[in-house]
């Protein structure tokens, strides 16, 4: 499956001039076109106590009704509609109802504290709010109106109750491609979150153009278990399926048991996740094989290596048939493609899925680029790389060092309009020619594959002026269950020369604490052995030279990334 000769969005030509004008439809027009093409296809599904499925026709009817209600409550093209809730059909209805009403949508993290939610609502100039019941009390005094997603006991209308009572006026604003569609707050590991303004053209062009690097079809079933307010999930597991008529199954809990249940019941074909999720599944499989005895473990692993050889050398994918019982046990019998983002994938995990016959795609991007800019082609998957740039986006490496690593700049229709109410921050990353400074460091090989080193602002400068990127070293610990958190920070190795050394902050897992009976000295010895293993595979200037075992979890962002600046501040003098 490489890039296709025919553009996947070529079908839009038959709708251009009728259902939309210009190069791309807006989000409203994109959904409407899909509803016309596949009215009876399943659109959104959620399982649980009260399972719910809507077809594209049913979804659009409800969207139009709720949008009409929003208009009757004063929501216009100048309105900002906040949205905060768990992944659900009603969350999706709330999102597109605001879009159909012509408003700007402001998706907000459902997990943040209520006081922080109020700050985001205020800063984002939200004047109408749609959310789960436990969110409404925090914001009701600062907005003109509220709709509830999940409870009829809040005193506010329930979205499903108003969905069949109103109609969208003909006067509802139809956004231009250059209009802001959404303001997404980044959950940066340093500094204050910024509101990224993404236009309809940003989101829709990225949605369609990414399909030149990945095949997706109307019969696919996507699994959206990661929070939908994040740009990665919103684009790859929300907009992408809706642009082709595929189905989205919303997951509510990020636990292995719930995940396996959803994958099986939903007959998921495209599974989007982060490395941690795929690592757990791969290790769970290996541990299950070990429990069956040494003979079974060795024979299955031999067959896995054989499957990998046949696939890599002879281009024969026999894994799906050879390991059908294993795939069924893991609820992956219907899954044809896994998409991993948010960090590099360990070789062990990628190889496992590859040998099982499941295609894997790795990608790169950031909220400021809508967010996908690179995807790893399925047929030419390069594990160490985050893929090739999506055409027609442009990339360049600025100020490369001797190894070719420099700042990564991106240009194209995916690049944000700017940061909301923050022109200074916008000018710091976006130049007048449209080039976005990603803040990431990496290099591009002769085949156009991008390789990441880390964030420029996180670099540690060791003796001799060597640059060490913490992310590179942290990735080496992904498969060690003994550690609940790891964070690489600098420390002053030589007070006179001001040389920095590489320091590891390590939080032991509950299983390691239990294994060592809470003995701190024994825990540190066990972690020291792990550090020795990791150091044995690192070049000299990247080796960890100071270990600090911590007993309290480090502060994280809503996407579970450690706030490095806070960690440095907390442990600098320790």
């Amino acid at each position: 499956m490489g890039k296709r000769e025919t553009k996947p969005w070529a079908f839009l030509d038959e709708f251009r001039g009728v259902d939309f004008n210009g190069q791309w439809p807006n989000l409203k027009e994109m959904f409407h076109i899909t509803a016309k093409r596949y009215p009876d296809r399943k659109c959104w599904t959620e399982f649980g106590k009260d399972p719910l499925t809507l077809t594209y026709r049913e979804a659009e009817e409800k969207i139009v009704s709720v949008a009409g209600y929003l208009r009757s409550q004063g929501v216009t093209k100048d309105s900002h509609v906040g949205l905060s809730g768990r992944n659900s059909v009603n969350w999706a209805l709330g999102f597109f109802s605001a879009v159909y009403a012509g408003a700007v949508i402001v998706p907000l993290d459902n997990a943040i504290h209520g006081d922080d939610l109020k700050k985001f609502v205020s800063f984002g100039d939200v004047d109408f709010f749609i959310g789960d019941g436990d969110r409404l009390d925090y914001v009701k005094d600062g907005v003109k109106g509220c709709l509830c997603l999940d409870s009829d006991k809040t005193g506010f209308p329930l979205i499903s109750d108003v969905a069949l009572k109103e109609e969208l006026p003909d006067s509802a604003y139809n956004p231009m491609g250059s209009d802001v569609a959404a303001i997404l707050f980044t959950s940066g590991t340093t500094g204050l979150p910024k509101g990224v303004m993404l236009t309809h053209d940003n989101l829709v062009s990225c949605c369609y153009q990414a399909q030149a690097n990945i095949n997706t079809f109307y019969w696919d079933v996507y699994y959206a278990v990661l929070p939908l307010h994040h740009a990665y999930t919103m684009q790859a597991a929300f907009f992408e399926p809706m642009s082709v008529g595929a189905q989205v199954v919303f997951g509510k809990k990020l636990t292995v048991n719930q995940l396996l249940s959803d994958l099986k019941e939903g007959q998921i074909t495209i599974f989007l996740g982060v490395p941690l999720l795929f690592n757990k599944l791969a290790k769970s499989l290996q541990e299950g094989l070990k429990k069956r005895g040494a003979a079974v473990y060795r024979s299955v692993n031999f067959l896995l290596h054989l499957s990998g050889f046949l696939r890599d050398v002879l281009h024969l994918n026999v894994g799906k048939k050879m390991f059908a019982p294993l795939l069924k046990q893991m609820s992956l019998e219907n899954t044809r493609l896994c998409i991993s983002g948010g960090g590099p994938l360990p070789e062990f995990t990628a190889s496992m899925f590859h040998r099982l016959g499941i295609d894997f795609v790795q990608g790169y991007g950031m909220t400021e680029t809508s967010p996908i800019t690179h995807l790893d082609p399925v047929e030419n998957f390069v594990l160490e790389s985050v893929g090739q740039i999506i055409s027609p986006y442009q990339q360049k490496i600025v100020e490369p060092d001797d190894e070719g690593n420099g700042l990564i700049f991106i240009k194209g229709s995916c690049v944000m309009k700017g940061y909301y109410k923050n022109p200074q921050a916008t000018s710091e990353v976006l130049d007048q020619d449209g080039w976005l400074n990603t803040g990431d460091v990496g290099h591009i090989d002769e085949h156009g594959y991008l390789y990441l080193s880390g964030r420029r602002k996180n670099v540690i400068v060791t003796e001799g002026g060597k640059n060490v990127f913490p992310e590179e070293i942290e990735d080496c610990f992904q498969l060690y269950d003994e550690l609940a958190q790891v964070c690489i920070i600098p420390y002053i190795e030589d007070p006179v020369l001001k040389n920095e050394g590489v320091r590891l902050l390590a939080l032991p897992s509950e299983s390691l604490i239990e294994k060592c009976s809470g003995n701190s000295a024994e825990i540190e010895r066990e972690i020291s052995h792990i550090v020795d293993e990791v150091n044995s595979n690192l070049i000299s200037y990247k080796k960890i030279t100071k270990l600090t075992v911590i007993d309290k979890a480090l502060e994280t962002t809503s996407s579970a990334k450690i706030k490095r600046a806070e960690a440095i501040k907390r442990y600098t003098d320790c």
Side-chain angles (χ1 to χ4, degrees):
M1 295 182 202
K3 293 183 180 180
R4 304 183 227 174
E5 292 184 7
T6 303
K7 294 178 180 178
W9 57 89
F11 73 89
L12 288 175
D13 288 341
E14 66 181 278
F15 297 94
R16 186 175 283 107
V18 178
D19 293 287
F20 76 100
N21 296 296
Q23 184 177 8
W24 303 106
N26 60 35
L27 285 173
K28 172 185 174 182
E29 292 163 340
M30 181 184 79
F31 192 93
H32 177 65
I33 289 169
T34 301
K36 287 181 67 174
R37 297 177 76 202
Y38 303 106
D40 299 318
R41 281 281 302 163
K42 291 179 180 179
C43 177
W44 299 321
T45 294
E46 63 178 281
F47 302 124
K49 182 180 178 181
D50 299 307
L52 176 63
T53 294
L54 297 180
T55 66
Y56 275 93
R57 177 189 287 112
E58 291 169 338
E60 187 172 41
E61 287 174 353
K62 288 180 178 290
I63 288 168
V64 168
S65 297
V66 177
Y69 174 81
L70 294 178
R71 295 283 293 179
S72 73
Q73 298 301 301
V75 174
T76 69
K77 69 181 182 67
D78 298 316
S79 299
H80 288 188
V81 176
L83 176 63
S84 181
R86 291 173 288 276
N87 292 7
S88 66
V89 170
N90 281 345
W91 190 98
L93 281 173
F95 186 100
F96 269 95
S97 296
V99 169
Y100 267 58
V104 175
I105 189 77
V106 185
L108 296 167
D109 187 355
N110 189 54
I112 58 175
H113 189 275
D115 290 337
D116 291 327
L117 180 66
K118 289 168 64 176
K119 292 176 184 177
F120 283 118
V121 165
S122 175
F123 180 80
D125 295 318
V126 170
D127 40 28
F128 195 94
F129 189 84
I130 303 173
D132 286 350
D134 59 2
R135 306 270 84 188
L136 302 185
D137 279 343
Y138 293 106
V139 302
K140 63 182 181 181
D141 294 332
V143 297
K144 297 176 182 176
C146 293
L147 257 182
C148 187
L149 295 176
D150 65 350
S151 173
D152 58 0
K153 297 179 174 61
T154 62
F156 295 102
L158 186 63
I159 193 169
S160 57
D161 289 343
V162 302
L164 298 176
K165 295 179 181 178
E166 307 289 343
E167 293 184 358
L168 184 64
D170 292 336
S171 60
Y173 180 68
N174 193 43
M176 303 287 290
S178 58
D179 287 343
V180 175
I183 300 173
L184 274 60
F185 285 95
T186 63
S187 53
T189 56
T190 60
L192 296 173
K194 301 181 182 73
V196 179
M197 294 186 291
L198 298 177
T199 68
H200 286 267
D201 276 350
N202 286 155
L203 293 167
V204 174
S205 67
C206 184
C207 176
Y208 284 116
Q209 288 171 339
Q211 293 170 28
N213 289 45
I214 182 174
N215 288 327
T216 183
F217 307 99
Y218 69 89
W219 45 260
D220 274 316
V221 182
Y222 282 70
Y223 187 44
V225 66
L226 301 177
L228 281 164
H229 72 275
H230 282 297
Y232 168 44
T233 316
M234 185 182 295
Q235 182 63 270
F238 192 53
F239 296 149
E240 290 287 350
M242 281 180 281
S243 71
V244 299
Q247 180 186 5
V248 182
V249 172
F250 297 110
K252 293 184 179 294
K253 293 183 180 179
L254 199 56
T255 63
V256 172
N257 288 340
Q258 185 64 54
L259 185 148
L260 295 179
S261 174
D262 288 346
L263 289 175
K264 185 175 292 293
E265 188 173 359
Q267 300 182 23
I268 305 299
T269 65
I270 297 182
F271 178 17
L272 176 127
V274 292
L276 176 64
L277 200 55
F278 294 119
N279 291 342
K280 284 184 177 181
L281 286 175
K283 293 199 76 172
S284 175
L285 173 61
Q286 284 285 352
E287 289 167 2
L289 292 175
K290 287 179 181 178
K291 289 179 181 178
R292 296 186 183 183
V296 172
Y297 180 75
R298 285 195 298 267
S299 62
V300 172
N301 272 283
F302 169 77
L303 291 174
L304 282 168
H305 281 84
L306 176 61
S307 172
F309 172 81
L310 293 173
R311 190 164 190 189
D312 294 337
V313 178
L314 301 179
H315 304 294
L316 296 174
N317 185 357
V318 299
K320 292 282 279 188
K321 290 185 178 180
M322 184 181 289
F323 302 108
L326 281 178
L327 291 170
K328 187 172 183 178
Q329 178 185 328
M330 296 173 69
S331 302
L332 293 172
E333 65 267 35
N334 298 296
T335 303
R336 67 175 183 86
L337 178 66
C338 290
I339 303 174
S340 180
L345 201 66
E347 182 177 359
F348 164 81
T349 302
S351 297
M352 173 69 73
F353 284 91
H354 180 73
R355 292 166 179 173
L356 288 169
I358 297 175
D359 289 329
F360 233 104
V361 169
Q362 221 169 184
Y364 169 72
M366 55 197 304
T367 305
E368 289 86 342
T369 58
S370 304
I372 306 167
T373 60
H374 293 70
L375 284 170
D376 222 336
V378 170
E379 289 186 347
N380 297 296
F381 186 89
V382 178
L383 179 60
E384 298 82 5
S385 167
V386 292
Q388 296 174 322
I389 195 161
I390 294 170
S391 177
Y393 305 158
Q394 300 175 59
Q395 61 183 344
K396 65 180 179 180
I397 302 297
V398 175
E399 300 176 358
D401 60 18
D402 294 340
E403 298 177 348
N405 287 306
L407 278 167
I408 302 165
F409 279 66
I410 303 292
K411 184 178 181 180
S413 59
C414 62
V415 173
M416 67 173 181
K417 192 167 189 174
Y419 293 119
Y420 187 61
K421 297 196 298 192
N422 199 338
Q424 180 178 343
T426 301
S427 64
E428 290 172 358
V429 299
L430 192 59
D431 69 20
Q432 293 181 345
D433 295 323
W435 284 99
L436 177 76
N437 179 352
T438 67
D440 287 326
V441 174
H443 69 274
I444 304 167
D445 70 12
E446 64 273 19
H447 301 294
Y449 284 84
L450 176 65
Y451 299 78
L452 297 180
S453 299
R455 297 287 292 174
R456 169 63 67 88
K457 63 186 177 185
N458 296 337
V459 69
I460 299 171
V461 183
T462 64
E463 186 178 8
K466 294 290 187 180
N467 291 339
V468 176
F469 293 94
E471 298 89 345
E472 287 185 299
I473 303 173
E474 289 165 354
D475 291 337
C476 299
F477 290 92
Q478 282 197 55
L479 299 178
Y480 287 97
D481 293 336
E482 297 88 344
L483 303 176
Q485 279 185 331
V486 295
C487 181
I488 294 293
I489 65 173
Y491 73 98
I492 301 300
E493 195 170 38
D494 187 325
V496 177
L497 299 176
K498 302 296 183 182
N499 293 329
E500 293 181 324
V502 180
R503 180 184 187 184
L504 171 67
L505 305 178
L507 178 70
S509 66
E510 291 296 328
S511 60
L512 179 58
I513 294 172
E514 184 177 344
K515 174 184 175 183
C516 298
S517 301
N519 186 302
S520 57
E522 183 62 28
I523 291 171
E524 185 159 349
R525 276 194 293 272
E526 291 284 337
I527 296 178
S528 292
H529 292 323
I530 294 173
V531 171
D532 290 340
E533 283 185 25
V534 170
N535 273 344
S536 67
N537 294 311
L538 295 173
I539 56 179
S540 58
Y541 68 87
K542 293 184 179 181
K543 292 183 185 297
I544 297 164
T545 52
K546 185 175 183 179
L547 167 65
T548 302
V549 178
I550 60 178
D551 58 7
K552 185 178 180 182
L554 298 169
E555 189 176 353
T556 62
T557 69
S558 62
S559 55
K561 294 180 180 178
I562 292 171
K563 293 184 177 180
R564 198 179 306 276
E566 294 297 322
I568 293 173
K569 181 179 178 181
R570 181 172 160 187
Y571 287 97
T572 292
D573 298 321
C574 298

